[in-house]
Amino acid sequence: MSAPEDHRTELTSNLGDKASNITSIRPTVPDFAGDKDSEPIVTRRELWSYYLYYSGDNGAGPQGFSLTLFQSLAFAAGYDPVAGPGSSCSAESSSGQCVLPWAGGTKSVSSVVLVASGISFAIMTLIFTTVGSAADYGTFGRWLLLTLTVICWCAQYASISLTEPSRWGASMALYMISFITYGATIAFYMAVFPRLARSTPHARQIRDRYEKGEISTEEYEVEESLEKNRICNTTTTLSYIGYTVTLCLNLTLLLPLKDNPRVNNYVLLLVNSYWVFVGVWWFIFQQPRPGPPIPQGSSYLTIGWKQVWTATKQYKKLPYTFIYLLSFFLLTSGIVTTTTLVTICQNDQFQFSFLQITYLGLVQGITSAVGTFGFLYVQRRWKFSTKRMFAVTNVFTILIPFWGMLGIWTNKIGFHNAWEFWVYNVVFGLFQAPYAAFSQTMMAELCPPGFYNMFFGLLGLATTASNTLGLNVIQAIIEKSGDNWEGFPFLFAISAAACLVLWFGVDVTQGRKDAAAWAEAQREKALEGDVIEKDVKS
């Protein structure tokens, strides 16, 4: 770790001769929608309603319990391929394999779960590509987030009907709907925070001081970055606090009703109700911050494809933004697929017990809140850059699939024992939760002002496309080898490659300057009545 002065030198070392150019851009063009006074200042009530939404949208239901319920029903409906149809996968004499009828043949339960997740990510890719960028225009983003949230809520409530192994197909469908809409809500919700961070009272204060010449460009850049990290890390911390509260509430059902065959379904209803209770306030207290009108000749269904194509053609003008997207593509593929694979192994280890999974989740939730708050404290105390903090979390991102890889050659370690999953949830909480916060802040710092949904849509596109690829590769490896652990070497390789690209290939300071200049050029074209369908000429 370095001293604050060393960090500030590092953070601003590449300003060069263009510093004066950025000085002129940043005060006058903070957002494509207009100047800084055109948007309302963020109120305490609005900010806390934003925090509370994410406290409920914590993934415990659509990403956790829905997957476990689906996998447990599929396992109960499957049979041991060695013993033949009609046999039980849970019998004492079982071979340890479990298959389901699939497309005229059979497929292992683990592969079916991975296929469902892969298809879900493919559909999310379509959503981000089609309507992601449209959320930057008018009030479409606000209504899009509300619609996706309500669909997710309805799918989670429908899970009360999943009580028999024969309904594993319906469970798969509801899991996919829940997971798809949940993933989309995360992307479009996080796209809001850069604009909120630019409109807080503190952000307005430091901007006014900057415009008056009271602080330098370097000081302004550092303070603005810290304000983004404050909101993003606080959001993530409260999300895991909400996750922990949710799991504690679950124990009020899981302990007294442990012998009730429908207790898992009741738990899903309780998890979802918590999200509804704390999440609805964002749609009530959110202040209007509409984007510009949609360009002539475009519609909400076509502007996304046009802008994604336009944005991808800008890689030469936004090199560090796109290098980050590339590294994130590899990194998120490794992380999410690793998490899914470890979850499958964990569910097998604890025999799909919602109670055991709740205990493990409590460990992860508590350590996640501690880890995220701790990383935020360290960053604010010593003013370390977002990139440096992000790199620390990535070291442990590599270690998780590496540990799983060891399980290929020995049964003593490598996610073969119950204690390893307790350790995994602690490590995940302390380091992967801060990873989520810093990855979003990195995107915010490299995102052209006013094009948040476009580039967060690209971030979501990178996430879903990479996860579709990762999950399909892993399920093919598992289907061929019959061993879940054979997928870990691939995940370790792509995670390590992503960390190297991120560390050596992304210059955040220069990337921020490039993004501001690109946004200014787009603003000038829009003011001239042009649409952003052509390359911006240098």
Side-chain angles (χ1 to χ4, degrees):
M1 294 185 177
S2 60
E5 293 79 5
D6 295 334
H7 164 65
R8 180 163 295 180
T9 300
E10 174 193 353
L11 190 64
T12 60
S13 60
N14 293 317
L15 285 174
D17 296 334
K18 296 184 180 179
S20 60
N21 193 28
I22 295 302
T23 303
S24 66
I25 291 176
R26 297 183 66 85
T28 57
V29 192
D31 197 289
F32 187 81
D35 62 39
K36 65 181 177 65
D37 296 322
S38 66
E39 292 188 358
I41 295 178
V42 176
T43 64
R44 180 180 293 273
R45 183 172 63 180
E46 180 184 24
L47 186 59
W48 274 97
S49 68
Y50 181 78
Y51 290 152
L52 285 174
Y53 177 93
Y54 206 36
S55 175
D57 193 12
N58 55 54
Q63 191 176 22
F65 289 121
S66 288
L67 174 60
T68 301
L69 183 60
F70 162 40
Q71 187 180 346
S72 65
L73 292 179
F75 186 83
Y79 65 89
D80 184 346
V82 176
S87 61
S88 173
C89 294
S90 58
E92 292 185 3
S93 58
S94 173
S95 66
Q97 302 179 58
C98 191
V99 298
L100 285 164
W102 185 271
T106 62
K107 188 177 285 290
S108 70
V109 170
S110 295
S111 293
V112 170
V113 172
L114 289 168
V115 166
S117 298
I119 294 173
S120 298
F121 280 117
I123 295 174
M124 274 190 264
T125 301
L126 182 63
I127 291 174
F128 293 138
T129 307
T130 303
V131 298
S133 297
D136 282 318
Y137 294 92
T139 60
F140 183 74
R142 181 174 187 168
W143 294 107
L144 177 62
L145 179 60
L146 174 61
T147 300
L148 290 168
T149 302
V150 171
I151 292 174
C152 190
W153 287 346
C154 291
Q156 290 285 278
Y157 278 131
S159 297
I160 191 66
S161 65
L162 304 174
T163 56
E164 302 291 337
S166 60
R167 297 178 182 174
W168 72 267
S171 180
M172 177 178 177
L174 287 175
Y175 160 68
M176 291 174 63
I177 293 172
S178 300
F179 187 53
I180 290 166
T181 51
Y182 160 73
T185 62
I186 295 299
F188 294 120
Y189 169 82
M190 292 307 297
V192 175
F193 99 85
R195 184 167 288 180
L196 286 179
R198 298 173 72 87
S199 299
T200 63
H202 178 66
R204 290 289 179 87
Q205 182 184 28
I206 61 174
R207 194 175 192 87
D208 288 341
R209 292 181 61 197
Y210 174 45
E211 291 178 353
K212 293 176 182 177
E214 296 177 1
I215 59 175
S216 66
T217 301
E218 293 88 342
E219 291 174 303
Y220 174 75
E221 294 283 356
V222 170
E223 290 298 326
E224 185 189 51
S225 176
L226 290 175
E227 184 71 354
K228 290 176 182 176
N229 276 286
R230 180 182 71 85
I231 291 179
C232 191
N233 283 46
T234 302
T235 301
T236 304
T237 300
L238 290 175
S239 173
Y240 282 103
I241 291 175
Y243 181 75
T244 304
V245 170
T246 299
L247 297 181
C248 289
L249 290 174
N250 291 348
L251 293 177
T252 65
L253 294 177
L254 289 169
L255 293 176
L257 300 177
K258 62 181 180 180
D259 296 324
N260 189 311
R262 288 201 172 193
V263 65
N264 293 346
N265 306 81
Y266 298 152
V267 165
L268 268 173
L269 295 187
L270 181 60
V271 169
N272 195 52
S273 296
Y274 174 79
W275 183 11
V276 173
F277 176 72
V278 298
V280 69
W281 304 108
W282 170 242
F283 302 107
I284 296 174
F285 295 127
Q286 179 186 9
Q287 297 187 82
R289 292 185 176 84
I294 198 164
Q296 293 184 353
S298 298
S299 69
Y300 285 113
L301 292 178
T302 62
I303 189 64
W305 291 95
K306 291 179 180 179
Q307 290 198 349
V308 166
W309 174 243
T310 298
T312 54
K313 291 192 297 182
Q314 304 303 314
Y315 70 93
K316 291 184 179 179
K317 302 176 182 65
L318 299 169
Y320 296 112
T321 302
F322 281 91
I323 291 174
Y324 175 70
L325 286 171
L326 171 63
S327 64
F328 188 82
F329 174 89
L330 296 172
L331 192 59
T332 193
S333 181
I335 290 174
V336 174
T337 310
T338 297
T339 302
T340 303
L341 188 53
V342 173
T343 300
I344 290 172
C345 297
Q346 179 176 278
N347 288 338
D348 287 338
Q349 176 73 35
F350 294 101
Q351 300 179 340
F352 315 105
S353 169
F354 268 40
L355 182 59
Q356 288 294 329
I357 291 170
T358 296
Y359 288 144
L360 290 166
L362 282 171
V363 170
Q364 185 183 125
I366 293 170
T367 54
S368 295
V370 171
T372 306
F373 179 79
F375 269 79
L376 177 61
Y377 173 80
V378 170
Q379 184 186 33
R380 294 183 69 85
R381 173 65 178 81
W382 286 281
K383 297 187 183 297
F384 292 133
S385 67
T386 301
K387 178 181 175 180
R388 179 173 296 185
M389 302 299 290
F390 191 38
V392 173
T393 68
N394 291 341
V395 172
F396 292 87
T397 297
I398 301 173
L399 291 179
I400 293 174
F402 175 77
W403 186 265
M405 186 171 64
L406 298 178
I408 298 174
W409 303 290
T410 177
N411 289 330
K412 294 182 179 180
I413 58 174
F415 298 121
H416 288 292
N417 309 286
W419 66 266
E420 292 177 285
F421 294 100
W422 292 97
V423 174
Y424 160 76
N425 279 279
V426 171
V427 172
F428 186 97
L430 291 176
F431 297 99
Q432 290 297 284
Y435 156 86
F438 289 120
S439 66
Q440 299 290 343
T441 307
M442 279 279 286
M443 185 72 256
E445 294 197 1
L446 295 168
C447 180
F451 294 87
Y452 299 122
N453 279 288
M454 176 194 290
F455 281 88
F456 272 85
L458 285 177
L459 189 71
L461 181 61
T463 301
T464 55
S466 65
N467 291 332
T468 301
L469 173 65
L471 290 167
N472 285 329
V473 170
I474 293 302
Q475 81 85 19
I477 292 173
I478 292 175
E479 190 67 20
K480 183 177 180 179
S481 66
D483 185 353
N484 290 345
W485 282 260
E486 292 290 340
F488 284 113
F490 169 76
L491 298 174
F492 170 72
I494 61 175
S495 297
C499 291
L500 291 174
V501 172
L502 178 70
W503 183 253
F504 293 105
V506 179
D507 183 333
V508 177
T509 302
Q510 184 61 47
R512 188 187 297 116
K513 291 163 56 182
D514 293 341
W518 187 85
E520 168 68 359
Q522 296 292 356
R523 175 179 170 84
E524 290 176 353
K525 288 175 69 67
L527 292 175
E528 294 170 0
D530 209 349
V531 295
I532 57 169
E533 299 181 31
K534 302 177 183 178
D535 291 342
V536 181
K537 303 301 182 183
S538 299

